[in-house]
Structures are given as structure tokens and as C-alpha cells.
Amino acid sequence: MLEKKANVLDLVGVGIGPSNLSLAALLAPLKQVSSCFFDNKKEFQWHPGMLFSNATIQVSYLKDLVTLVDPTSKYSFLAFLANQKRLYRFATAQFPSVKRREFNQYFQWVSQNLGNLQFDTPIVNIHHDNGRFIVEHPKGVEYANNIVLASGLTVKIPEFVKPYISSTVFHAINYMELKSPIAGKRVAVVGGGQSGAEVIRLILSNKSEIPESITWITSRPNILPIDNTPFVNEYFFPSYSDHFFKLPKEEKARLIKDQNLASDGINVDLLNDIYRELYELELIEGRGKICQFLTNQSFVGFEKNLNGWGLALQDKNTGEMKEVEADVVICATGFEYQPPSYLESLLDRIDVADDNFIFGDDFSVKWDGPKENKIFIQNGARHTRGVSDPNLSLMAWRSAKIINGLLGGEIYDINNESTALDWQNEPEGILAHNGYDHHFDF
Ligand SMILES: Cc1cc2nc3c(=O)[nH]c(=O)nc-3n(C[C@H](O)[C@H](O)[C@H](O)COP(=O)(O)OP(=O)(O)OC[C@H]3O[C@@H](n4cnc5c(N)ncnc54)[C@H](O)[C@@H]3O)c2cc1C
């Protein structure tokens, strides 16, 4: 049960992306919990720099903010469609995948219907004093017994590229904001995952702005599809996440590598679109070869030269070096979890192992403060929960775990969901006896 203190909220959330929006939606019926969530954006926007008109979500629309935990919630995607009077047309349209723009509209609708979200409020510092957290923002402070941090991932971009970030060198996540005209230019796209492929399709489909050439660079041996076949998809099930959580750390690291294409491969429809666009441009329209594919390449250096940008590449198999020149360079080089800067005052109180926070089963991290004051982290546990952690699939379930952890009971019944494979069969005694994900003496 929650201990109530005057002027102290039970929970303050940092960031209102899908993760904390899901948590806020599942908390809404629980009137006994006082909470408030903050985001620095002016309104809800889901990765606006990549909200391309033809981009689709990579999961079923049932993997929305709430449905897999509470199908009766009024904050489901289907409830949104019904509210917007588009349910019949949606059912008839039978989209193979829902557009990301429509999911963004859904998220925005939920955000407008919850009363405890404050936008335009960046959190700048959090410290702990006198049995509560003090959460600071430019308009004042909030006091909280517990905090939930869901401020997103940080872009991964090679250090040697960072000094040159501009309208001609940028990360894919900033495409809509930073992109300069590319007609007739030489464009290099670095990264062979979903983001890189989405950028390539966008470039190829805009017939009024076709570049002189595209070089698509990847460290992978080919342009590879996502594996979302049914048995592999069980990596995105609650019991697999729980199973994974209990494995030894070396096994976790190996599996995360092995399972990369289950989360970071490219949608098959998207691959087909790109292949057909290239066929049309290069062969039917007779423009000749537009796109050069450089596979097995490590991106090892970068410079400005007289003709534009020079990218130094090294073949992963042969070690052979080559240089590619481009006028515009788009890094679709992924994301990683970094402790947020607003956490600096608390960082030396949070336990770390192998550069990662140590997570409990309820997504709270181990720290030296009172056990009634929990620090939950969303979308920061890939190292210990597996490839599903940044994905939408287990978002509602993770929110429910957090709520159960916060209230100390089975508020949401999230156990014993059926699976085809037998993930419950964990090796005996692997989970450290203290309930954390790490064998640690403390
Ligand atoms: C382009 C793109 C498409 C994706 N599509 C899919 C998909 O189809 N299916 C899928 O399963 N996964 C997808 N993902 C992965 C994942 O689902 C999303 O990244 C998702 O947005 C993660 O949600 P989040 O709430 O954890 O983080 P974010 O969405 O990054 O939200 C974090 C929020 O915190 C705010 N914030 C940051 N710092 C502060 C601060 N100091 N104070 C206040 N607010 C702050 C940010 O403004 C932001 O609004 C996609 C990822 C990307 C990048």
C-alpha cells in the first residue's frame, strides 16, 4: 500500500512517449494513486523527425498502450477509432499494417484525455531528500514518493561524425527537421536497419527530388528482413521477458546479438517497395544505376573535403579500406540507453554493474535510498530484458508490472499467459536470491 504524505505525489513520470503514456492510461482507473507526468515537448509527438507519410508500425495494433493488459480500457486503439467514428472504415480498409501517423493520432488522443500530463515542462534535475524525490523543472518543483523515468533513448552516432552535424549530415531521427534539398545530390545512408530502409524508400518515392546517386552502407552482409515469424515472436511475450531476465549475463549478451533481426530487421513490405522503386527508376525509366549497396562495411572515419563529405569504410571480411564521397550523409545508426542528465544528482546512489543499472523484477533499479521510494525506468533494460524492451509489444505489460510493483500487489493480473514454447522452464536457481537481475554481493 502507498504511504500518503501531504503535497507528495505517489508517482512522478519524466517523459511522455508511448511508455509513460501507457503507464498513465493504465493508472487512470486507479483513483488511489496520485501521479503526474512531464514532457519537454509542446504536445505529444511520436518521433516527429521520422513521421514519414508511408511509414507503418512494425507490430499489431493490438499492441497499443493498454489492450494486452486491459482489453476493456477506454484508452485502446479501437476505442480511439470508435471515438473518431472510423471503426467501420478501418475494419473495411484492412490495412496490412497501421500507419505510424495514425498511431501518433491515437497517442495524441489519449494524451488529450488524461488529466495528469504536463507538456512543455522539461525536467532538469531530480534529487532525494527527507524521504521523497524532488523533481525540478523551470516552472517549479514536484515532490514524489516514486519516480518513473521514460525519457527515451539517445541517438547512436559515431564520435567522428558529431562535430559535423548540420543540414547535410544528420541522424535519421531528425530527417524531417534537418533535411536539405537532395535533388541531383549524392546521398549516403549509413545503416541497414528499419530506419535506413525507411529513409531510402522516402528518397526513392519522391520523384520530384531524385538524387544523382544513393550509397546504402551497412555492416550487415545483406539488406536483411525482420524475423517476425510466430515462434520467434514469442521473444516479445511476457514469459520470455521473465525467462530472459533470469539468465546469466553472458547468455543475455549472446542472445541479444543472436536475436537482432527479430527487432532490428526491415519490414518485408518495405523491402519489396524499395526493390520495386529501384526496378522502376533504374530499368523502366532508364535512369541507370542509382543505388549502390555497400555491405559488410564498418564506418571508420569521416572528413570534409573539397567535393563534399568523405566517408572512410573498412570491409569487415577483408579489412580493405575505401572512401565514399557524398553531399548529404544520413546516419541511420540506431539508438542506445544513456542515463539522462537530469539524473546526475542521483547517479552515484544507483547501483551499476558492467555499466548498466541493476533492475528488479518490477523495472525499478537498485539504489541506496529507502525502499518506499522507487526509481522505475522504462525502455532502459534491454541488457537484462532482451530485444523486446524498446518495442511496443510489452509496453502495456511493463506498465502493469510497474503498477503492481508500485502498489505491492496484483492490481493487474499479468501472469500465466499461454505460450507455444515452454519459456517457464528456467534453469533452477539462476535468478539471484534477492530478486534483482544480477548475482551481486550487497
Ligand atoms: C522512428 C521510430 C519508429 C518506431 N516504430 C516502432 C514500431 O512500429 N513498433 C515498435 O514496437 N517499436 C517502434 N519503435 C521503438 C519504440 O517503440 C519507440 O521508440 C517508442 O517511442 C519508445 O517510447 P518511449 O516512451 O520509451 O520513448 P520516447 O518515445 O523516445 O519518448 C520519450 C519522451 O521523453 C521526453 N523527454 C526527454 N527528456 C526529457 C526531460 N528531461 N524532461 C521531460 N521530457 C523529456 C521526450 O521529449 C519524449 O517525448 C520505433 C522507434 C523509432 C525511433
Side-chain angles (χ1 to χ4, degrees):
M1 268 301 113
L2 294 167
E3 190 200 332
K4 299 285 179 188
K5 293 180 209 144
N7 301 325
V8 184
L9 292 165
D10 295 321
L11 183 69
V12 162
V14 186
I16 309 172
S19 300
N20 264 351
L21 193 58
S22 160
L23 180 60
L26 287 169
L27 273 175
L30 307 175
K31 300 298 174 214
Q32 71 272 34
V33 183
S34 58
S35 61
C36 196
F37 294 81
F38 296 89
D39 198 283
N40 51 18
K41 294 202 181 100
K42 295 220 170 340
E43 58 175 0
F44 187 97
Q45 284 293 350
W46 191 28
H47 300 310
M50 283 196 73
L51 213 51
F52 305 151
S53 62
N54 46 8
T56 57
I57 59 169
Q58 281 189 294
V59 292
S60 156
Y61 62 78
L62 293 176
K63 295 177 168 183
D64 63 14
L65 298 168
V66 291
T67 297
L68 291 181
V69 163
D70 179 7
T72 66
S73 167
K74 60 182 185 182
Y75 300 112
S76 69
F77 180 63
L78 290 181
F80 158 75
L81 294 176
N83 174 273
Q84 303 292 303
K85 305 289 178 197
R86 21 174 131 146
L87 198 45
Y88 283 86
R89 288 187 64 181
F90 181 82
T92 305
Q94 297 199 18
F95 292 106
S97 310
V98 171
K99 289 264 162 78
R100 207 145 70 214
R101 283 185 301 145
E102 188 166 34
F103 237 52
N104 187 47
Q105 290 177 354
Y106 154 61
F107 290 149
Q108 288 179 331
W109 173 79
V110 174
S111 76
Q112 287 152 11
N113 282 286
L114 290 169
N116 57 347
L117 312 184
Q118 274 197 37
F119 289 91
D120 204 11
T121 312
I123 300 304
V124 291
N125 188 31
I126 303 182
H127 55 106
H128 184 269
D129 186 32
N130 205 12
R132 79 264 198 264
F133 294 102
I134 300 156
V135 182
E136 298 175 358
H137 51 77
K139 301 169 192 166
V141 296
E142 313 296 326
Y143 299 103
N145 282 325
N146 303 279
I147 51 176
V148 54
L149 315 178
S151 43
L153 299 179
T154 307
V155 294
K156 235 177 3 182
I157 196 155
E159 281 303 320
F160 49 76
V161 176
K162 284 184 182 167
Y164 302 106
I165 295 293
S166 60
S167 61
T168 56
V169 181
F170 51 87
H171 193 277
I173 199 70
N174 302 117
Y175 191 90
M176 303 291 252
E177 301 129 37
L178 291 184
K179 187 198 85 103
S180 57
I182 54 169
K185 301 263 172 69
R186 299 163 303 168
V187 178
V189 176
V190 186
Q194 177 75 8
S195 301
E198 286 190 7
V199 167
I200 296 278
R201 176 175 61 182
L202 189 74
I203 293 172
L204 292 173
S205 61
N206 186 357
K207 299 288 182 283
S208 62
E209 224 194 315
I210 294 294
E212 177 191 311
S213 66
I214 302 168
T215 309
W216 192 358
I217 300 157
T218 174
S219 58
R220 294 179 183 171
N222 199 336
I223 304 298
L224 296 171
I226 194 164
D227 184 347
N228 55 12
T229 49
F231 297 102
V232 167
N233 236 314
E234 291 210 348
Y235 296 153
F236 300 84
F237 276 35
S239 40
Y240 184 76
S241 176
D242 282 342
H243 161 82
F244 189 96
F245 183 62
K246 294 167 187 164
L247 295 173
K249 65 174 187 185
E250 298 76 17
E251 179 75 351
K252 288 179 177 175
R254 189 183 65 72
L255 286 173
I256 284 174
K257 268 196 184 153
D258 281 1
Q259 297 170 358
N260 193 29
L261 288 176
S263 67
D264 294 347
I266 303 169
N267 278 357
V268 173
D269 288 348
L270 176 53
L271 289 174
N272 285 332
D273 282 355
I274 292 172
Y275 200 87
R276 288 171 190 151
E277 289 285 3
L278 284 174
Y279 185 94
E280 195 178 323
L281 278 169
E282 295 184 348
L283 301 176
I284 302 179
E285 290 185 17
R287 287 175 187 246
K289 193 122 181 85
I290 284 186
C291 190
Q292 182 189 22
F293 291 83
L294 295 178
T295 54
N296 272 319
Q297 301 297 316
S298 301
F299 184 19
V300 293
F302 193 65
E303 62 175 12
K304 177 139 193 61
N305 61 30
L306 284 177
N307 299 317
W309 301 107
L311 291 81
L313 307 178
Q314 184 168 35
D315 190 292
K316 283 174 68 187
N317 294 334
T318 63
E320 188 193 327
M321 298 290 301
K322 64 162 78 66
E323 189 172 296
V324 167
E325 279 194 353
D327 305 306
V328 177
V329 179
I330 302 159
C331 294
T333 37
F335 304 87
E336 64 190 347
Y337 182 78
Q338 293 282 348
S341 57
Y342 59 76
L343 204 56
E344 210 172 294
S345 314
L346 282 176
L347 266 190
D348 60 355
R349 302 189 60 185
I350 304 177
D351 291 51
V352 169
D354 306 316
D355 288 339
N356 292 310
F357 293 145
I358 299 173
F359 277 81
D361 177 59
D362 62 358
F363 291 90
S364 66
V365 292
K366 186 173 181 302
W367 76 302
D368 73 0
K371 66 175 179 0
E372 309 73 51
N373 297 152
K374 290 193 174 192
I375 303 172
F376 298 98
I377 296 186
Q378 302 226 56
N379 198 357
R382 189 172 183 267
H383 63 283
T384 191
R385 282 285 178 179
V387 294
S388 63
D389 193 62
N391 193 274
L392 299 179
S393 299
L394 288 181
M395 182 173 66
W397 169 81
R398 183 175 59 205
S399 298
K401 275 234 174 206
I402 291 173
I403 292 171
N404 289 351
L406 180 74
L407 291 166
E410 282 295 292
I411 310 304
Y412 283 103
D413 173 7
I414 48 174
N415 290 322
N416 303 321
E417 187 71 27
S418 171
T419 55
L421 284 98
D422 195 2
W423 301 118
Q424 316 294 344
N425 268 345
E426 295 104 19
E428 283 289 309
I430 274 184
L431 180 64
H433 62 276
N434 47 45
Y436 285 97
D437 61 337
H438 213 268
H439 296 261
F440 223 62
D441 291 327
F442 55 84

